[in-house]
Amino acid sequence: MLKVCKKSLVVVALLSTVASADKGDFYAGLENHGISAKYDVTDKVTAQAIIGVWGYNNLTSFTGRGLYKFKEKEHFNFYGYGAITSWTWNDNYYGDETVIGFGAGAGAEYDIRGIDPEFIPLYINLDLGLQVASFDHYGGFSGLGLGLGVHYKF
């Protein structure tokens, strides 16, 4: 029941962001293993929320990322990011365990309209980052992760 409440709160928060976002500041799409929403807070800073709905071996996650655009061209930009994630491992033997993990990395984003200006505002991003989390019963993990995302900009 608690997991359903957490997910419901995240969905309500994302919908509130959509409702209050100015046109051109909000993105929705898929990122790595889940559903993603991004909001341009300023020209340089973007906030991102990712709900990890396609968990591996009963692993689910809720991630908040802050992205900083280092260099921006007309259809392309480089960014760095910091992330904090709530990881939950569901298991019948030990039960549910939730921990907080951290991450940081860098990536690049491309606006497909750079190929065809008549195309919809679709952005593709690729990033590389370090993730760290530690479970009491399931061990920990850390390592480099490659991320891929596709977002539609409203």
Side-chain angles (χ1 to χ4, degrees):
M1 179 66 176
L2 184 60
K3 288 190 293 185
V4 172
C5 290
K6 282 183 188 176
K7 289 181 182 179
S8 298
L9 287 174
V10 171
V11 169
V12 168
L14 289 175
L15 291 175
S16 298
T17 303
V18 173
S20 65
D22 292 333
K23 184 170 176 56
D25 290 339
F26 181 76
Y27 308 70
L30 303 174
E31 182 84 31
N32 299 334
H33 58 278
I35 299 167
S36 170
K38 298 194 308 185
Y39 179 73
D40 287 335
V41 179
T42 68
D43 289 343
K44 292 281 192 185
V45 177
T46 300
Q48 181 177 25
I50 304 168
I51 302 171
V53 293
W54 299 292
Y56 170 76
N57 278 351
N58 302 324
L59 184 66
T60 57
S61 63
F62 296 96
T63 302
R65 296 194 335 172
L67 290 77
Y68 181 81
K69 297 174 186 172
F70 291 118
K71 187 167 186 164
E72 192 167 9
K73 303 255 183 196
E74 185 176 356
H75 297 287
F76 189 78
N77 73 64
F78 290 102
Y79 60 87
Y81 72 87
I84 184 166
T85 303
S86 171
W87 296 94
T88 300
W89 193 291
N90 304 308
D91 183 66
N92 291 334
Y93 185 73
Y94 288 116
D96 294 354
E97 183 178 354
T98 300
V99 298
I100 300 297
F102 301 94
E109 179 180 63
Y110 183 72
D111 179 355
I112 295 296
R113 292 175 297 180
I115 297 170
D116 181 1
E118 299 295 319
F119 200 69
I120 61 174
L122 196 63
Y123 291 75
I124 297 175
N125 64 286
L126 181 66
D127 53 50
L128 180 67
L130 175 66
Q131 301 176 28
V132 178
S134 181
F135 290 92
D136 290 334
H137 297 291
Y138 308 105
F141 63 85
S142 64
L144 289 177
L146 188 62
L148 178 65
V150 177
H151 294 85
Y152 178 83
K153 186 173 185 181
F154 292 91

